[in-house]
Amino acid sequence: QLTEHFHEVRRWIAELDRGAKQYRLVMRTINHRILGANSVPAEIWIDTLDDALAFIGRTRDAQRFAVLVQHTATSQPRLVSWLARKPLAGLELSDEWPRLLLIVQWLQNNPRPGIYLRQVDIPGVHSKFIETHRSVLAELFDLVMPEAAVDTSARGVAGFCKRYGFRDKPVRIRFRILDAHLGILASRYMPSAEAELDITLTGDAFALLDLPVKNVFITENEINFLTFPVVAESMVIFGAGYGFDILAQATWLQRKELYYWGDIDTHGFAILDQFRSHFPAAHSFLMDRSTLLAHSHSWGNEPKPESRKLSRLLPEEQALYADLCKGRIDSNLRLEQEHIGYEWVAQAVNNVSDNS
């Protein structure tokens, strides 16, 4: 290379030599049969941390990080390990870090406080700041809080409040009384029987009820919920997909005849299976083969079908689920519940009423 690119090599050596203030350049001599002895770079050494930081242009960042570590070591020494594992994340949060440490200190002084984030009273810290930084705060809390102060069953950003003992936005349950003779509100406040049919309560309040109904229908579609036919001694609940934990708290539902109405597709049966994990005796409603075949004009496509084994389906449900999984009727078949004819729904409701 010296023979063929001598001038390029000399320029390369000169360029390295000009940068020698940032590093130590070690040369070695090459004896060339044509060019003779030539001194060329052999090694570059960066001897100090300061030199290394200057070389990569991070001197100021390192100074900021050192201040961050020193402040943390003084106020929350157990969090230094977090900075050691995530130094770049720590640098990104350097402006917010003092407020994050204040929040950590506040929770240490007030474990499982039982209040809303809005009620946390720290000068310079508002609830939006806490909500925005829930992910990193969770990591910091886990490092400093005692095990008894952390509900490890709650995970992720959605479980932040439950995990550390804050009050969370209450889950609400919406339901309609389908029998106008079963008014549950005083008539002087609600003179029209129709006006009280659509009611929303917190999950805790709903759990305290014991409504005088025999049949409880659960549907996942709001229009179906609003147009559900009138039927004696019955109510309908606007469901919430796979989220049945809150309904399970209402133990009085276990004494009712429950009917779950979901889409006729693999996910619909998966939700039915999940519902029965809380209410084993629950019936399916309009999730049968005859309903599916009678509405072939309304068939749609299920983008990502479920395929796992479902242990809580009845034999006829299991057979239909297997056909949907295998595409035996049609590929990725779905019949959404709102596409079932209203007269068909009314007849099914009458059949339930007659059998009650």
Side-chain angles (χ1 to χ4, degrees), residues 35-100:
L35 300 175
N38 286 272
S39 183
V40 298
E43 300 171 352
I44 286 178
W45 289 81
I46 299 176
D47 294 315
T48 68
L49 175 60
D50 289 342
D51 289 342
L53 293 169
F55 186 71
I56 62 173
R58 300 302 291 268
T59 298
R60 292 185 62 184
D61 285 342
Q63 292 169 346
R64 288 169 52 221
F65 187 70
V67 171
L68 206 63
V69 171
Q70 184 178 10
H71 178 52
T72 305
T74 301
S75 59
Q76 292 289 346
R78 279 181 287 181
L79 298 185
V80 173
S81 62
W82 189 92
L83 290 173
R85 286 186 291 106
K86 300 186 175 183
L88 297 182
L91 275 173
E92 290 180 4
L93 291 165
S94 59
D95 291 339
E96 292 86 6
W97 194 252
R99 283 183 288 174
L100 293 172

Side-chain angles (χ1 to χ4, degrees), residues 126-320:
H126 50 77
S127 57
K128 289 292 184 183
F129 179 85
I130 300 175
E131 291 169 0
T132 301
H133 294 89
R134 281 176 295 177
S135 181
V136 65
L137 281 170
E139 296 180 24
L140 303 182
F141 289 163
D142 283 351
L143 288 173
V144 302
M145 297 302 295
E147 291 184 10
V150 179
D151 181 352
T152 55
S153 68
R155 297 181 177 87
V157 171
F160 180 85
C161 289
K162 181 181 178 183
R163 186 175 182 87
Y164 304 108
F166 292 98
R167 291 189 67 182
D168 210 348
K169 181 179 178 181
V171 177
R172 300 185 182 278
I173 296 177
R174 184 178 175 190
F175 63 95
R176 291 179 57 224
I177 302 298
L178 301 172
D179 186 340
H181 298 95
L182 298 178
I184 63 172
L185 298 176
S187 59
R188 61 179 175 145
Y189 298 117
M190 198 68 65
S192 168
E194 291 296 323
E196 69 166 306
L197 294 184
D198 192 342
I199 303 168
T200 301
L201 295 177
T202 65
D204 290 341
F206 184 81
L208 296 175
L209 299 177
D210 191 355
L211 298 176
V213 297
K214 289 184 178 179
N215 305 311
V216 178
F217 298 89
I218 294 94
T219 179
E220 302 297 332
N221 179 270
E222 186 175 25
I223 295 301
N224 284 349
F225 165 78
L226 292 172
T227 60
F228 204 91
V230 171
V231 56
E233 298 181 291
S234 300
M235 65 182 290
V236 61
I237 297 173
F238 184 27
Y242 289 91
F244 297 121
D245 290 346
I246 194 69
L247 281 181
Q249 296 177 21
T251 56
W252 58 273
L253 288 175
Q254 300 284 359
R255 300 189 296 274
K256 312 299 180 181
E257 293 292 327
L258 299 178
Y259 296 86
Y260 177 78
W261 181 13
D263 295 335
I264 303 181
D265 61 7
T266 61
H267 284 281
F269 281 110
I271 298 173
L272 172 63
D273 184 84
Q274 179 68 17
F275 186 68
R276 284 192 178 134
S277 71
H278 297 291
F279 302 99
H283 310 281
S284 61
F285 181 73
L286 293 175
M287 298 179 68
D288 54 85
R289 192 179 299 270
S290 61
T291 299
L292 177 64
L293 297 179
H295 292 81
S296 59
H297 56 281
S298 297
W299 287 357
N301 184 267
E302 184 179 24
K304 296 181 180 180
E306 183 64 79
S307 60
R308 59 190 171 90
K309 183 178 179 180
L310 304 178
S311 61
R312 302 179 186 92
L313 299 184
L314 300 179
E316 60 272 23
E317 298 164 347
Q318 195 70 256
L320 180 53

